[in-house]
Amino acid sequence: MKIANSIAEVRKALVPVRQDGRRIGFVPTMGYLHAGHLSLFDVARDDCDYLVTSIFVNPAQFGKGEDYRNYPGDLERDARLSEEHGVDLLFVPPVEEMYPEPPLTQIDVRELTESLCGASRPGHFNGVLLVVAKLFNIVQPALAVFGQKDLQQALAVRRMVKDLNFPLEIRIAPTVRDPDGVALSSRNSYLSPSEREQATALNQALQRARELVESGERRAARLVEEMRSVIREVPSAEIDYIAVVDADRLREIETLNGQVVLALAVRIGKARLIDNTVLQVN
Ligand code: AMP
């Protein structure tokens, strides 16, 4: 595995790969890798001949008072895991390499980024889309894989790719969970053992709502109420949002119909945790 710290090194390493006509797969991350990230590597590797991963904690997507300064990292471990999981090129740029000067360009995918995390983290998706667009232009992959864990991000990236004619495919891979149902996240490392226990409530709330839908419930408000009551049982949980939205535009709905998303963001201790589930309702 090659490790590159500069854009020039990435471009140089990829010249012969492209000349050989090899299909390049790409998985962007912020590092502190876990089995969720590794599952994305597997998806990309299965369908590509050359796998590029990036580790970059992107300051542009963090708001004031968020955890940019404390975001967890362990580059040595990440490099080892990447190599073991078939990464060919690991791109780890310093901030100055990605942002030699403050960018004047802003990428805005409307509607899709206005609800859910977009509403509670103003500017977050502008930062995500900017860095992803830059990384796509640097790596020029044929396929990029994102996790359903961050569904709003994946859908916004997919729409940007479509609207701006980036020549690549976006694939969304399922959320990887611990055996107790908690979605893997680098931010779970902020949780104390007791908070980690309480974090099971997010997936439990989604499960409870799912069961209600299976037994015929179609009123979104009823599902939100049920999920809220599950989260309220957790002493240190602070709800950011609990929402039922359509899978197409992520707009809040009143009545479930077609493909819908149940999504929530909950603060437990120092961690802001998110989770979601997609349902097909007829
Ligand atoms: P991050 O490093 O948190 O920015 O995540 C990098 C990529 O990994 C994003 O596409 C995430 O959606 C994805 N990801 C994070 N957690 C999980 C998970 N538990 N299961 C699947 N994908 C994940």
Side-chain angles (χ1 to χ4, degrees):
M1 182 181 79
K2 185 178 168 47
I3 299 181
N5 299 116
S6 72
I7 295 166
E9 281 172 275
V10 173
R11 294 216 160 111
K12 191 164 165 229
L14 293 176
V15 169
V17 178
R18 252 185 275 282
Q19 270 168 357
D20 290 350
R22 296 163 80 186
R23 183 172 156 84
I24 298 171
F26 178 47
V27 178
T29 81
M30 297 206 297
Y32 212 58
L33 302 179
H34 51 65
H37 297 112
L38 303 179
S39 75
L40 307 186
F41 296 177
D42 292 342
V43 170
R45 232 194 21 244
D46 279 354
D47 193 35
C48 294
D49 315 302
Y50 191 94
L51 175 55
V52 183
T53 285
S54 60
I55 294 179
F56 181 62
V57 181
N58 172 35
Q61 71 189 67
F62 288 79
K64 274 208 182 76
E66 291 188 353
D67 53 348
Y68 175 63
R69 296 266 160 233
N70 311 316
Y71 198 80
D74 183 344
L75 194 51
E76 221 170 281
R77 182 174 168 274
D78 285 353
R80 183 169 45 77
L81 286 172
S82 299
E83 182 151 35
E84 284 168 8
H85 282 80
V87 172
D88 295 291
L89 176 62
L90 179 61
F91 180 38
V92 191
V95 171
E96 313 80 67
E97 181 72 2
M98 293 301 284
Y99 299 111
E101 59 184 320
L104 299 181
T105 300
Q106 178 170 310
I107 304 185
D108 210 352
V109 171
R110 289 175 290 155
E111 294 192 22
L112 273 173
T113 63
E114 286 161 15
S115 59
L116 310 178
C117 290
S120 42
R121 302 182 71 188
H124 167 68
F125 287 113
N126 300 121
V128 169
L129 294 165
L130 182 68
V131 83
V132 169
K134 285 164 74 75
L135 290 166
F136 284 173
N137 282 330
I138 294 163
V139 176
Q140 301 183 23
L143 171 74
V145 186
F146 290 80
Q148 189 196 315
K149 160 84 178 1
D150 302 274
L151 183 65
Q152 189 171 23
Q153 162 176 287
L155 293 177
V157 167
R158 182 179 268 169
R159 185 60 193 235
M160 171 185 76
V161 161
K162 186 176 184 207
D163 285 350
L164 297 181
N165 303 95
F166 279 87
L168 77 148
E169 178 197 340
I170 299 298
R171 205 164 297 163
I172 303 179
T175 301
V176 176
R177 299 174 183 282
D178 269 332
D180 63 358
V182 173
L184 296 183
S185 165
S186 307
R187 289 188 166 104
N188 290 350
S189 64
Y190 300 151
L191 302 170
S192 69
S194 127
E195 288 166 348
R196 173 61 188 69
E197 177 76 30
Q198 296 172 47
T200 53
L202 278 82
N203 184 51
Q204 277 161 12
L206 294 172
Q207 289 302 333
R208 188 84 70 80
R210 237 177 200 287
E211 283 160 23
L212 279 183
V213 175
E214 272 156 28
S215 61
E217 183 59 70
R218 294 292 179 266
R219 292 166 299 176
R222 196 46 213 96
L223 300 179
V224 170
E225 199 180 296
E226 185 67 22
M227 290 191 276
R228 202 172 283 281
S229 77
V230 175
I231 300 297
R232 282 223 180 100
E233 285 165 30
V234 174
S236 57
E238 201 184 298
I239 296 168
D240 178 349
Y241 64 75
I242 296 180
V244 178
V245 297
D246 70 272
D248 190 36
R249 290 292 167 86
L250 305 180
R251 286 170 301 208
E252 294 217 19
I253 53 174
E254 279 180 22
T255 307
L256 280 72
N257 186 21
Q259 217 177 36
V260 304
V261 181
L262 315 181
L264 73 175
V266 176
R267 198 172 287 281
I268 297 183
K270 284 200 288 285
R272 180 180 174 280
L273 305 176
I274 59 172
D275 204 347
N276 69 78
T277 190
V278 180
L279 295 174
Q280 180 65 42
V281 179
N282 300 312

